[in-house]
Amino acid sequence: MLLGALLLTSQFLNSGQGPQAALVWYETSGLRKLEWDNYLSWLRFNGQAEQAKALEQQLREGNPHPWGNALLSEQFVTDSDARATDFWSSSQIQQWKTLREQAPQQLEQSPLYRWGLAAADPRPSRFFTAPFTGGTLWLTLLALACLALVAQPLERQLGPGRLAVIWLAGSVLSGAGYLLVTGPGQIPLHGAAPALMAILAAAAALSRKAIAITLPRGKQEPMSLNLPAWSLAFIPLALLIALTLGHPPMTANLSAGLLAAVGGALLALVLQPRGDQILVSETDTALLPPEQQQTMANGWDALGRLDGNTAERHFREVLNSDPQQFDALTGLFIAQQMQQPVQEAWHDTATTLFARPADDIGQATQIAQHWKQYPPASKETLPEKCAWQLVITLTQAGEYQQAEKLAARFAEISDKPDNRQNALTVLREALLSEGLKHRADALKV
């Protein structure tokens, strides 16, 4: 939401569309008349005759941006100052220096050039500031609409810090991709869409579950549509096509979007939480009513601020409606664990969480991580029914040693033979599939 607000604000307060004041001033002030021919000669003298030819061609086609190459070339200004007497009179030299002193002020009035320099003479800040220079309005709105579809689950999956890293990387990569193929004198990189490709591609790369979409049908029951996880890849693909076809120069923007997308996807795979880091699975959260989705998001935001009391209040509000909601249970477990001294209610939450069957391997992995964080003394007093379900969950997560250890502890004192047999059968079959026959045979099913 913060990123979207910033991008929309920059769209309306810092539009990159229309004439750029610095370029108009360069032509009308007399500076172009003084130095443009000299600049073209300087390019040819320094072995850049093709660039000089390309700039002349673009000017004939009505593109004023080639003047930005001369306006922003520090080396040209330095060489001109050293050799000014070779081609200007004393009055012209004084006029040239006066106008050159006004150039920074003129650049401040041109959005495309205030936030970064032309592609022919870039600076690193361009890669970060270009997304905040207003691009085409419809393309910006399309990019933000695509972002709205994936932002919440992706932020909960990665956390706001990792998401910010991917955004900044997308800004750098889109700028680098643009500069790889852009020609001299072309419009500088601007607009939010290329950098947002990194976040959209990251969401597609991390998607593991089917996408559930509910479509209203008037007075009839809403229609539910389940799409495979890979269909999420169409979101960045559609934006890339729109960016390429609707935002010239086409080749440069295609390169910017592709590099940002590939980099964002790879970075997301590297940065995704593993091990004992907090994981937020892609579960049925999206199927919750909008009010509960917001309550859940508030709970995870509170956890990010290490505010366990507030987080607990939000997660309990969701659990009042659905006591088995997985994300709310895991969030409540973490929130109560953060509070010192640990509340007795934490153990009740843990028992409920450990007794809940995992819907997929992601949930099983999360439960296994929380089990490792659970105190040894409390593990000894775990209810038997909960323990046997936990054996199955640990097996699903591939934590075979933990499952065997828990099974051995409760095997001798079990008074629920059906639960015991079911859990040990699952564990034994998993060990056999892993080639661990000697450990499977040691289990008494």
Side-chain angles (χ1 to χ4, degrees):
M1 292 176 64
L2 176 61
L3 179 59
L6 288 173
L7 292 176
L8 283 177
T9 301
S10 66
Q11 172 69 223
F12 292 107
L13 300 183
N14 182 41
S15 175
Q17 307 302 307
Q20 297 295 306
L23 302 183
V24 175
W25 170 82
Y26 185 77
E27 181 183 18
T28 59
S29 65
L31 187 57
R32 180 198 65 80
K33 183 177 179 180
L34 281 172
E35 68 179 24
W36 181 249
D37 290 337
N38 291 349
Y39 177 67
L40 295 177
S41 300
W42 178 79
L43 287 176
R44 295 185 179 99
F45 181 79
N46 286 278
Q48 302 181 55
E50 289 299 323
Q51 179 172 340
K53 183 178 179 181
L55 295 178
E56 289 179 308
Q57 177 63 30
Q58 290 181 48
L59 282 174
R60 286 194 293 270
E61 295 172 353
N63 179 7
H65 288 281
W67 288 330
N69 288 44
L71 182 61
L72 300 165
S73 177
E74 295 182 2
Q75 186 59 50
F76 168 65
V77 174
T78 301
D79 291 351
S80 296
D81 190 34
R83 301 179 59 247
T85 56
D86 292 349
F87 36 80
W88 289 323
S89 65
S90 298
S91 60
Q92 288 177 319
I93 292 175
Q94 185 59 43
Q95 180 189 10
W96 178 75
K97 290 184 177 180
T98 301
L99 292 173
R100 269 292 164 185
E101 290 175 356
Q102 298 174 13
Q105 181 180 357
Q106 296 297 325
L107 289 170
E108 286 296 318
Q109 302 174 31
S110 291
L112 289 183
Y113 294 94
R114 178 169 74 242
W115 291 90
L117 303 186
D121 189 13
R123 61 185 177 192
S125 62
R126 150 147 304 285
F127 301 154
F128 293 97
T129 59
F132 297 100
T133 303
T136 308
L137 177 58
W138 73 266
L139 190 58
T140 301
L141 293 176
L142 175 62
L144 292 177
C146 292
L147 180 64
L149 296 174
V150 302
Q152 186 179 31
L154 183 63
E155 184 174 12
R156 294 177 60 247
Q157 192 173 3
L158 290 176
R162 292 183 179 89
L163 199 60
V165 170
I166 293 176
W167 159 252
L168 294 176
S171 299
V172 174
L173 291 170
S174 62
Y178 191 93
L179 292 174
L180 282 175
V181 297
T182 189
Q186 283 187 338
I187 300 173
L189 174 67
H190 65 290
L196 285 178
M197 289 294 303
I199 296 181
L200 298 176
L206 295 181
S207 179
R208 296 292 184 271
K209 290 185 67 66
I211 304 166
I213 300 177
T214 302
L215 302 176
R217 294 197 299 176
K219 297 181 179 180
Q220 301 181 21
E221 288 292 326
M223 181 176 65
S224 296
L225 182 63
N226 291 320
L227 301 177
W230 55 262
S231 62
L232 195 62
F234 283 105
I235 293 179
L237 180 61
L239 180 60
L240 184 62
I241 293 173
L243 173 66
T244 303
L245 298 179
H247 193 33
M250 293 173 57
T251 305
N253 279 292
L254 176 62
S255 175
L258 278 176
L259 193 59
V262 172
L266 293 176
L267 191 58
L269 294 173
V270 172
L271 293 180
Q272 63 178 325
R274 294 182 177 85
D276 58 355
Q277 300 178 13
I278 294 176
L279 298 171
V280 182
S281 65
E282 294 182 65
T283 63
D284 56 353
T285 304
L287 301 179
L288 291 173
E291 301 81 8
Q292 292 193 17
Q293 289 188 36
Q294 185 59 51
T295 302
M296 187 85 77
N298 292 338
W300 288 105
D301 288 342
L303 277 186
R305 300 191 304 270
L306 303 181
D307 185 354
N309 288 320
T310 301
E312 179 178 355
R313 176 168 53 82
H314 287 303
F315 291 130
R316 283 195 181 281
E317 184 176 338
V318 176
L319 290 170
N320 286 338
S321 302
D322 183 0
Q324 291 295 311
Q325 214 293 326
F326 182 77
D327 283 349
L329 273 176
T330 55
L332 182 60
F333 178 93
I334 298 168
Q336 293 174 331
Q337 185 183 18
M338 291 170 55
Q339 301 175 46
Q340 297 297 330
V342 175
Q343 301 176 2
E344 184 62 32
W346 181 50
H347 301 292
D348 296 334
T349 302
T351 301
T352 303
L353 178 62
F354 297 149
R356 185 191 187 281
D359 295 336
D360 55 43
I361 190 171
Q363 291 187 3
T365 301
Q366 286 181 256
I367 293 174
Q369 295 301 327
H370 293 322
W371 171 249
K372 293 178 182 178
Q373 300 162 6
Y374 202 54
S378 298
K379 292 179 179 179
E380 297 292 339
T381 59
L382 203 66
E384 183 183 345
K385 182 178 180 180
C386 173
W388 290 123
Q389 175 56 53
L390 186 56
V391 169
I392 296 175
T393 303
L394 292 172
T395 303
Q396 291 176 318
E399 297 286 349
Y400 302 128
Q401 290 185 347
Q402 293 282 340
E404 291 174 86
K405 184 177 179 180
L406 182 61
R409 182 187 310 154
F410 280 86
E412 299 300 328
I413 61 173
S414 174
D415 58 2
K416 298 182 181 298
D418 291 341
N419 293 338
R420 173 180 178 275
Q421 182 174 359
N422 182 40
L424 293 179
T425 299
V426 171
L427 177 56
R428 187 175 190 279
E429 290 177 352
L431 292 174
L432 289 173
S433 68
E434 292 292 321
L436 302 174
K437 186 176 183 300
H438 59 291
R439 289 164 58 179
D441 292 340
L443 295 173
K444 298 179 179 180
V445 179

